[in-house]
Amino acid sequence: MLPIYLSIEGLYSYQDKQEIDFAHLTEAGLFGIFGKVGSGKSSILEAISFALYGETERLNKQEKRAYNMLNLRSDVANIVFEFLNYEGRKFRFTAQWKRRKKFEDTTSLERYAYEWKEGAWVPLDSNDGAIVTQLTYPNFRRTIIIPQGQFKEFLELRGKDRSEMMKEIFNLYRFDLGPKVAILQRQNNSKLEQLNGALSGFDTVSVEILNNKQQELETAQQHLKFVKEETTSLEKEVSRLLESKKTREELAHKKEEVQQYLLEQPRISRLEKELQTYEVTQRAFREILNTTHNLNKEKEQLTYKIEQLTTRKSEILSRLEKEEAEWEKIAPDYQRLDVFKAECEDLKLLISIFQNQEQQKTLNKRIKDGQPHLLQAQEEEKELLTAIENEEKRLEEHKSTRVDTSILLALEAWYQTDDNISNGIAEVKAQTQQLQHEIAQTAKIFEEQSTAIDDWESVLLQQETNLNVEFSSLQQEETQLKVQAKLSAFADNLTDGQPCPLCGALDHPYPMVGHNMATKLQEVLDKQAEIKQRLQQLKSSHHILTAASIRWRDKHTQLAQLESTIQQMEEKLKIHHKQFRWEAFLPTDKTAFLAYKDKNHLAEINIKSGEATLKNLRLQWQTCQSKTEKYKNSLVEFEQSVTVLDQLNQQNRLQLKRLKTADFEQHNETALLKKKQETENKVKSLDETHKRLSESIQILRTDFAHINGERTAAKEQFQQLYQQLSGKQSEISALLKEYDYSDIMQVQHILQKNIDVERNRKIIQEFNLNLQILLRNIADLEKRINNDAYEESTYQEKTALYTLKREELELQIRVTGAVEKEYARLRVEFEKKEKILEEYEKLTLRKSNLTTLENLFRGSGFVNYVSSIHLQRLCEIANQRFHRLTKNNLSLTINESNEFEVVDFLNNGFKRSVKTLSGGQAFQASLCLALALAENIQSMNKADRNFFFIDEGFGTQDPESMNTVFETLQYLNKDNRIVGIISHVEELKERIPRAITVVNDTEKGSQLH
């Protein structure tokens, strides 16, 4: 990451907006940020971290972080940070929050992130800096921005924590394959169990069973084919006989149908005659009768309409006369409507005059009552001013009693240093006594082993040599005894005339005799066991004495170092006592100093109390001043209101038109309001009634004219209908004579039958056609049965035989189908079993391989191994600088627990904990590791340039070490590394080519130069 720009406003001591252009600083490769303690140097790093991650080292979310980080003289805090990430992409991160009306309340933190694309800042979906830097906040503090007091954190991390950090930074989680292998194992074992369960269901499936079922299927199929041929032959014969039977049955049925048609023929003839008469009458009379019927219906409707119109005409005429009478009644009052409206307006003015007069009385009373309060507030204001002046004088007196703070601080520092050196001497002496006690305890171990510290090793070696010689001798004796015992056993089994198993001789004149061989052998074995036990005891003693010897030498070395340290510290204490220069105080007695300190403390308490009292009095004076001003403004406002009301009343009196003020002086506001309401109601009633009657009369007159015209037209239409009906009656009489009907009733009787002409004609036609078809069908059927040779007994016999053969065929089909289905099932099951067995073998082999992988990746061992490689590499890179800084006296290494240790070449290359390093040495080691870690990350991210900040830490270096560190930092620029240094050490400021100076101004806050 490479910083470009930073602006800070309202953060900690930064009151006004301050900006840093990092481009000018990073050109030099090495730059500094300098300032006194508390000037705001570290706040620059905190602003960067807070913008990127929303986290800070000083405060957490539960400590009212937003309020405590906000400058007390600012109402808003704003941070803007721009940088290039490891990919060269440009980003901007911002953080902002504000103060609410209540001083201690703040708004919630608002953080945003942007990327520079195509000439504009494009918002990002997430404001997490870890996404663009590839570093979490803790690792960002360890590798990029190292806060004050945290420089040694990475060096002193425990092995597990450091491994976790390495996993995150170098993405070593990809090597943690143990969980993945476990998942694969569970999946593989689950599949194996499933396959085992599946195979248990295939116990009845084999090659022999499958072959037997195939033979059974072939036999069943051959029998089925034979039965099917017989059934087909019978089926053809039965079908022929059945066809002949159906033909005979159909002939009989057709003959029965012909008989039915012949019986129905007279009815059809009558129907045909009746249909002819109906058609003639309908053509002659239907239309004229329908017309006459419609005219009579219209005549009845018109008669009813004329009656209804006559009734409505009478009703409207009555309502019109009533509305006109009511109109005549209100006409006089309506003519005076403008007079009533004017009186109503005058009453409004009179009510307003009355209300204004009442309000004037109230305001005059408030002016009278408020004047004493104003005088009292003015008097209180004068008293508070006097009290403020007196308190300021007392505060000045207390400030004049202050002691010299520089003397107090110098004395306190001297006494603190004196106590520290004295306590250090006491602590080292206590350590010396502890070491002497431990040396004595170690010496007792040699006494218990009955040996001397100087030659214990040679004594134990001689004893071990003697025991080994004795043990070898006993082993030889054991071998001889075992041989003799075996020979004795052979001798006991010899028989005359039988060959010896060893030499083959047939004669055995002098057989060997064994005496107590087993007893002697057991004695030798017991001695061997005793020597082994003594050798084991010697080995144990050697381990104990080796550890005790090393411990004894280490304790003596430490004791010498501690005695040297005591001498140095006592010498330092003497020099410190010589530096005591305050004659009024004693170096060995703090009484006078504590009294001097208490006097200063008391003065500070009085000053703080006085300042608080003065602040309280000033607040009271401001409150009182505000109250006085408020009273003055209120009285002036009341007087102005009285004048305005008086002017309004004069205007209202001039606007009166019909009424006079004198006529209503005895009336109160309620009476005036009542009279005004009555007048307004009367005006409203007249207006509404006039409007209603005018509209109603107009509507009634219009309705009357419309109904009268409609009634006259209806009467004219009635006369026309009457004439049309007379003409139609004459036409009907002429038609009755023409068709020889006695009267119209006879015609209506015929037409009322409503015969469906089309339907009846269709019935007659279908009857004649069906009769002809039946006669032709009967002739055809008689021809077909002449030569079919049908016998009912033959048909019954063949049918019964066919039914039996059909049942046999169905049974054979079911048997064959069942065998075929079972054979198919066995084939499928057999194929499944073969596939399962093949899969089972693969999974078994996979299980073996996964077990090997599980042993390899168990307990994150592989990840820790890779992590240790990275740490070793870090040590190698860091040692390139650490050797130069320590003049090849010290070296960094990693132990088995992945923890850093120091190889001390001044002490035979022994290893020791990094916690034993001095403050300066720890800074050097931490600096080298931070550089190595940053370079490794830079290489991993393929970044061209990168940087990191160092906050303090240089105060622990002596001048010579400072030169070496400074030279190391200068070399970094050649490796495209940029380093920012934050320090209050003035010597560094002169050697840094480009720097920022932070000054904390009492009025403007921290300022950057």
Side-chain angles (χ1 to χ4, degrees):
M1 186 181 78
L2 189 65
I4 299 174
Y5 168 82
L6 174 68
S7 70
I8 309 173
E9 180 183 1
L11 179 72
Y12 291 126
S13 59
Y14 287 85
Q15 183 177 341
D16 300 328
K17 182 178 179 180
Q18 299 295 307
E19 299 177 289
I20 301 176
D21 180 8
F22 282 103
H24 180 67
L25 296 173
T26 55
E27 287 176 356
L30 179 63
F31 65 91
I33 299 176
F34 297 99
K36 295 182 179 179
V37 175
S39 60
K41 304 183 300 299
S42 298
S43 298
I44 294 174
L45 302 190
E46 196 160 349
I48 294 174
S49 300
F50 198 62
L52 285 173
Y53 298 95
E55 297 289 344
T56 175
E57 279 299 297
R58 302 192 205 180
L59 301 165
N60 56 38
K61 294 180 180 178
Q62 286 73 34
E63 295 176 317
K64 297 178 67 176
R65 181 169 65 188
Y67 166 73
N68 287 312
M69 291 179 70
L70 185 58
N71 185 278
L72 294 175
R73 295 183 182 179
S74 301
D75 293 328
V76 62
N78 191 16
I79 304 169
V80 178
F81 179 53
E82 297 177 6
F83 63 96
L84 298 176
N85 77 335
Y86 64 94
E87 297 173 321
R89 295 159 61 192
K90 186 177 179 181
F91 294 92
R92 170 186 283 179
F93 277 70
T94 65
Q96 183 179 0
W97 66 99
K98 298 179 180 179
R99 196 184 303 281
R100 298 185 188 273
K101 290 183 179 180
K102 190 177 178 181
F103 189 77
E104 293 186 359
D105 287 346
T106 60
T107 61
S108 58
L109 173 64
E110 296 177 357
R111 292 178 55 250
Y112 302 100
Y114 308 87
E115 183 177 0
W116 183 261
K117 290 183 178 179
E118 298 179 356
W121 289 110
V122 179
L124 298 179
D125 295 333
S126 173
N127 60 6
D128 185 6
I131 297 175
V132 297
T133 62
Q134 296 296 306
L135 291 171
T136 60
Y137 175 63
N139 291 337
F140 183 77
R141 290 190 303 105
R142 295 166 182 156
T143 59
I144 302 296
I145 291 182
I146 307 175
Q148 186 171 332
Q150 300 295 323
F151 207 80
K152 296 193 298 181
E153 182 182 358
F154 176 61
L155 181 66
E156 296 181 355
L157 276 176
R158 297 183 63 84
K160 181 180 179 182
D161 296 334
R162 188 180 294 103
S163 294
E164 289 297 321
M165 174 184 170
M166 300 297 290
K167 289 177 187 178
E168 181 179 321
I169 291 177
F170 295 104
N171 192 24
L172 301 186
Y173 291 105
R174 65 183 188 276
F175 297 112
D176 189 6
L177 303 177
K180 294 182 179 178
V181 171
I183 293 171
L184 293 176
Q185 279 187 312
R186 286 196 297 271
Q187 294 174 349
N188 196 71
N189 292 337
S190 175
K191 290 179 180 178
L192 278 173
E193 291 175 2
Q194 292 174 3
L195 292 180
N196 273 325
L199 285 172
S200 63
F202 292 99
D203 294 338
T204 58
V205 180
S206 64
V207 176
E208 183 180 356
I209 293 173
L210 188 65
N211 292 333
N212 292 336
K213 188 60 67 176
Q214 185 178 7
Q215 292 176 0
E216 183 181 350
L217 175 61
E218 291 173 353
T219 303
Q221 287 175 339
Q222 290 175 359
H223 185 62
L224 174 64
K225 182 179 179 182
F226 176 74
V227 173
K228 189 179 290 185
E229 290 174 352
E230 289 184 343
T231 305
T232 303
S233 175
L234 275 172
E235 184 179 7
K236 291 179 180 178
E237 182 65 20
V238 169
S239 296
R240 185 186 67 77
L241 293 171
L242 180 62
E243 185 67 25
S244 298
K245 182 178 181 181
K246 287 181 179 179
T247 302
R248 282 171 169 72
E249 290 175 351
E250 186 179 358
L251 178 61
H253 180 67
K254 296 291 184 186
K255 288 180 178 180
E256 289 177 1
E257 286 185 1
V258 167
Q259 293 299 322
Q260 294 292 330
Y261 272 87
L262 293 175
L263 292 174
E264 190 71 15
Q265 197 168 18
R267 186 184 70 80
I268 295 299
S269 298
R270 289 194 302 272
L271 178 62
E272 188 174 5
K273 184 178 180 181
E274 184 179 357
L275 180 62
Q276 187 177 3
T277 303
Y278 178 78
E279 286 181 326
V280 171
T281 306
Q282 185 185 37
R283 282 195 297 270
F285 290 93
R286 174 70 72 183
E287 184 177 354
I288 191 168
L289 288 176
N290 287 339
T291 303
T292 304
H293 176 72
N294 291 336
L295 288 172
N296 282 321
K297 191 173 181 181
E298 287 182 20
K299 179 183 174 184
E300 292 174 0
Q301 292 175 350
L302 201 57
T303 303
Y304 178 76
K305 181 179 179 181
I306 291 170
E307 292 174 356
Q308 292 294 320
L309 289 172
T310 304
T311 304
R312 286 186 62 194
K313 177 182 175 183
S314 301
E315 290 176 355
I316 290 173
L317 185 60
S318 175
R319 287 173 58 194
L320 181 60
E321 291 173 352
K322 184 178 179 183
E323 294 289 343
E324 288 176 344
E326 189 174 353
W327 166 258
E328 294 295 333
K329 190 185 294 183
I330 68 164
D333 285 343
Y334 184 73
Q335 292 175 358
R336 298 182 69 245
L337 186 63
D338 292 338
V339 176
F340 294 144
K341 289 181 178 180
E343 288 180 358
C344 188
E345 293 298 324
D346 287 352
L347 285 169
K348 289 181 181 179
L349 293 172
L350 289 171
I351 292 169
S352 178
I353 291 170
F354 182 84
Q355 291 175 344
N356 290 341
Q357 288 174 349
E358 292 297 321
Q359 193 172 352
Q360 280 180 324
K361 292 177 183 179
T362 303
L363 289 173
N364 288 328
K365 185 175 184 304
R366 293 185 70 180
I367 290 170
K368 184 179 178 181
D369 294 342
Q371 287 175 347
H373 291 288
L374 174 61
L375 295 174
Q376 183 181 354
Q378 289 174 341
E379 187 63 30
E380 186 178 349
E381 185 178 349
K382 291 178 182 178
E383 292 176 359
L384 286 171
L385 280 172
T386 304
I388 288 170
E389 292 174 358
N390 295 334
E391 190 60 36
E392 286 176 345
K393 290 178 182 178
R394 282 197 295 272
L395 185 59
E396 288 298 326
E397 292 175 359
H398 287 310
K399 286 182 178 179
S400 63
T401 61
R402 273 179 173 172
V403 299
D404 190 346
T405 308
S406 61
I407 295 175
L408 186 65
L409 291 174
L411 275 168
E412 188 164 14
W414 190 93
Y415 282 120
Q416 183 66 40
T417 303
D418 187 69
D419 290 342
N420 290 340
I421 296 173
S422 300
N423 293 335
I425 292 171
E427 185 178 349
V428 174
K429 286 182 177 179
Q431 293 177 5
T432 302
Q433 292 177 359
Q434 179 65 26
L435 278 174
Q436 290 174 347
H437 175 71
E438 291 175 358
I439 289 171
Q441 292 295 326
T442 305
K444 285 182 180 179
I445 295 173
F446 289 94
E447 293 176 2
E448 291 171 357
Q449 296 291 335
S450 302
T451 183
I453 295 174
D454 298 333
D455 60 347
W456 65 271
E457 196 167 7
S458 60
V459 171
L460 289 181
L461 183 61
Q462 184 61 43
Q463 291 178 1
E464 184 180 3
T465 303
N466 295 337
L467 287 172
N468 285 328
V469 170
E470 186 177 355
F471 186 76
S472 298
S473 175
L474 288 171
Q475 283 181 326
Q476 294 176 1
E477 187 177 353
E478 178 191 358
T479 302
Q480 293 176 359
L481 288 172
K482 285 181 178 179
V483 171
Q484 291 178 3
K486 194 67 176 177
L487 292 174
S488 177
F490 280 122
D492 292 340
N493 293 324
L494 290 175
T495 305
D496 290 336
Q498 295 292 331
C500 176
L502 295 178
C503 61
L506 297 175
D507 296 329
H508 316 290
Y510 305 106
M512 181 180 177
V513 179
H515 300 286
N516 299 325
M517 291 296 179
T519 304
K520 291 180 180 179
L521 181 61
Q522 186 60 44
E523 288 177 357
V524 171
L525 291 174
D526 290 342
K527 287 181 180 180
Q528 286 181 356
E530 182 182 353
I531 291 173
K532 284 182 180 179
Q533 185 177 2
R534 288 173 63 188
L535 284 170
Q536 188 65 33
Q537 290 175 353
L538 276 178
K539 187 176 181 180
S540 176
S541 298
H542 188 275
H543 285 310
I544 294 171
L545 293 176
T546 301
S549 176
I550 294 171
R551 198 159 55 247
W552 188 84
R553 286 198 301 270
D554 289 344
K555 299 299 180 185
H556 268 284
T557 304
Q558 293 176 21
L559 181 61
Q561 291 176 349
L562 289 176
E563 289 174 349
S564 175
T565 303
I566 291 173
Q567 291 177 359
Q568 293 175 1
M569 294 178 72
E570 288 176 345
E571 186 64 29
K572 186 177 180 181
L573 184 62
K574 290 178 183 179
I575 295 170
H576 181 65
H577 276 275
K578 289 178 181 180
Q579 293 174 349
F580 193 83
R581 61 182 183 278
W582 299 276
E583 296 180 356
F585 302 94
L586 297 174
T588 57
D589 189 2
K590 286 187 180 181
T591 306
F593 163 70
L594 293 174
Y596 191 70
K597 186 176 180 180
D598 291 340
K599 180 181 178 182
N600 182 66
H601 181 63
L602 182 60
E604 290 294 333
I605 291 173
N606 290 331
I607 290 169
K608 287 182 180 179
S609 175
E611 288 175 346
T613 304
L614 185 60
K615 182 179 179 181
N616 188 33
L617 286 172
R618 284 175 176 164
L619 288 173
Q620 291 178 12
W621 176 74
Q622 290 175 357
T623 303
C624 186
Q625 196 176 30
S626 300
K627 186 165 64 174
T628 304
E629 191 66 26
K630 180 181 177 183
Y631 286 154
K632 285 181 181 179
N633 293 336
S634 297
L635 290 175
V636 170
E637 186 180 348
F638 293 158
E639 291 172 355
Q640 291 174 350
S641 298
V642 170
T643 305
V644 170
L645 289 171
D646 192 42
Q647 293 174 355
L648 285 173
N649 283 340
Q650 291 178 7
Q651 292 176 3
N652 290 337
R653 290 189 184 97
L654 294 173
Q655 291 176 6
L656 291 173
K657 296 178 181 179
R658 302 285 302 173
L659 303 177
K660 296 181 181 180
T661 309
D663 296 339
F664 295 92
E665 288 181 353
Q666 302 302 322
H667 288 67
N668 56 19
E669 184 180 359
T670 306
L672 290 171
L673 288 170
K674 182 177 180 183
K675 185 169 182 61
K676 171 179 165 291
Q677 187 64 41
E678 291 174 354
T679 307
E680 287 177 346
N681 292 340
K682 187 172 184 180
V683 169
K684 184 178 179 182
S685 177
L686 284 171
D687 201 8
E688 291 176 351
T689 304
H690 176 267
K691 183 179 180 181
R692 179 180 60 78
L693 290 175
S694 298
E695 293 175 353
S696 178
I697 290 170
Q698 181 65 31
I699 292 169
L700 289 171
R701 286 175 178 172
T702 303
D703 290 347
F704 180 79
H706 176 72
I707 291 171
N708 196 29
E710 191 176 356
R711 182 169 172 270
T712 302
K715 285 183 176 180
E716 293 175 355
Q717 189 178 359
F718 182 82
Q719 290 297 329
Q720 294 174 359
L721 284 174
Y722 183 76
Q723 293 174 2
Q724 291 176 3
L725 280 170
S726 298
K728 293 297 180 183
Q729 290 292 339
S730 300
E731 291 180 12
I732 290 171
S733 298
L735 287 171
L736 288 173
K737 290 179 180 181
E738 181 181 353
Y739 287 97
D740 195 22
Y741 285 114
S742 59
D743 55 14
I744 193 66
M745 296 299 294
Q746 188 178 359
V747 174
Q748 289 178 345
H749 177 72
I750 293 171
L751 294 177
Q752 282 176 356
K753 293 180 180 180
N754 286 328
I755 297 173
D756 189 343
V757 177
E758 293 297 329
R759 176 173 170 275
N760 285 329
R761 185 178 287 113
K762 185 176 180 181
I763 289 172
I764 294 167
Q765 291 175 352
E766 287 179 354
F767 177 82
N768 294 327
L769 180 64
N770 290 337
L771 181 60
Q772 295 298 325
I773 290 171
L774 279 172
L775 293 174
R776 284 198 298 270
N777 287 340
I778 288 172
D780 292 339
L781 291 172
E782 286 177 345
K783 289 179 181 179
R784 286 168 59 186
I785 64 174
N786 286 334
N787 300 315
D788 59 358
Y790 173 78
E791 294 291 338
E792 179 65 23
S793 59
T794 304
Y795 171 73
Q796 295 294 336
E797 182 183 349
K798 293 290 183 179
T799 302
L801 183 61
Y802 172 72
T803 302
L804 292 173
K805 188 60 69 174
R806 181 75 181 175
E807 290 176 356
E808 182 183 359
L809 176 63
E810 291 176 354
L811 178 61
Q812 188 60 37
I813 288 172
R814 286 197 296 272
V815 170
T816 306
V819 174
E820 185 176 2
K821 186 176 180 181
E822 179 64 16
Y823 176 70
R825 185 190 70 80
L826 286 173
R827 281 190 62 84
V828 171
E829 293 296 313
F830 187 75
E831 291 174 359
K832 287 182 180 178
K833 183 176 182 180
E834 287 183 333
K835 290 180 180 179
I836 291 173
L837 287 171
E838 182 181 353
E839 183 67 18
Y840 187 83
E841 291 176 1
K842 291 180 180 178
L843 290 175
T844 303
L845 178 61
R846 182 177 174 81
K847 180 180 180 180
S848 175
N849 294 335
L850 287 172
T851 302
T852 304
L853 289 175
E854 180 193 14
N855 296 330
L856 179 62
F857 297 120
R858 181 180 290 122
S860 299
F862 189 62
V863 178
N864 292 331
Y865 169 71
V866 177
S867 176
S868 65
I869 293 175
H870 278 278
L871 287 172
Q872 289 289 355
R873 177 59 182 159
L874 283 178
C875 284
E876 292 173 5
I877 298 172
N879 281 330
Q880 294 174 7
R881 297 187 178 94
F882 192 50
H883 290 164
R884 186 166 62 249
L885 291 174
T886 61
K887 299 179 180 179
N888 293 322
N889 291 332
L890 300 175
S891 181
L892 292 171
T893 187
I894 290 291
N895 62 16
E896 295 177 354
S897 301
N898 276 354
E899 293 178 350
F900 286 113
E901 289 184 340
V902 177
V903 179
D904 192 345
F905 294 112
L906 294 177
N907 292 284
N908 298 324
F910 284 110
K911 297 179 182 179
R912 54 189 173 93
S913 172
V914 293
K915 295 181 180 180
T916 62
L917 293 174
S918 65
Q921 291 172 333
F923 170 76
Q924 293 172 348
S926 301
L927 173 62
C928 294
L929 279 173
L931 289 171
L933 186 60
E935 286 175 356
N936 218 325
I937 294 173
Q938 179 184 4
S939 174
M940 182 178 64
N941 292 332
K942 299 180 181 178
D944 294 333
R945 304 184 74 194
N946 219 324
F947 95 112
F948 73 95
F949 265 117
I950 302 173
D951 190 0
E952 297 298 347
F954 295 96
T956 61
Q957 303 298 297
D958 55 45
E960 186 178 357
S961 297
M962 181 72 78
N963 290 332
T964 308
V965 170
F966 190 76
E967 290 174 2
T968 300
L969 295 177
Q970 283 184 319
Y971 287 147
L972 294 175
N973 190 30
K974 299 177 182 178
D975 300 331
N976 281 333
R977 292 291 296 169
I978 301 167
V979 180
I981 297 172
I982 295 181
S983 180
H984 64 278
V985 179
E986 288 296 326
E987 291 82 354
L988 276 175
K989 187 174 181 181
E990 299 173 359
R991 305 174 66 175
I992 298 295
R994 295 183 185 177
I996 294 173
T997 302
V998 186
V999 179
N1000 193 349
D1001 188 271
T1002 55
E1003 295 296 330
K1004 298 180 180 179
S1006 293
Q1007 301 287 308
L1008 300 179
H1009 302 286

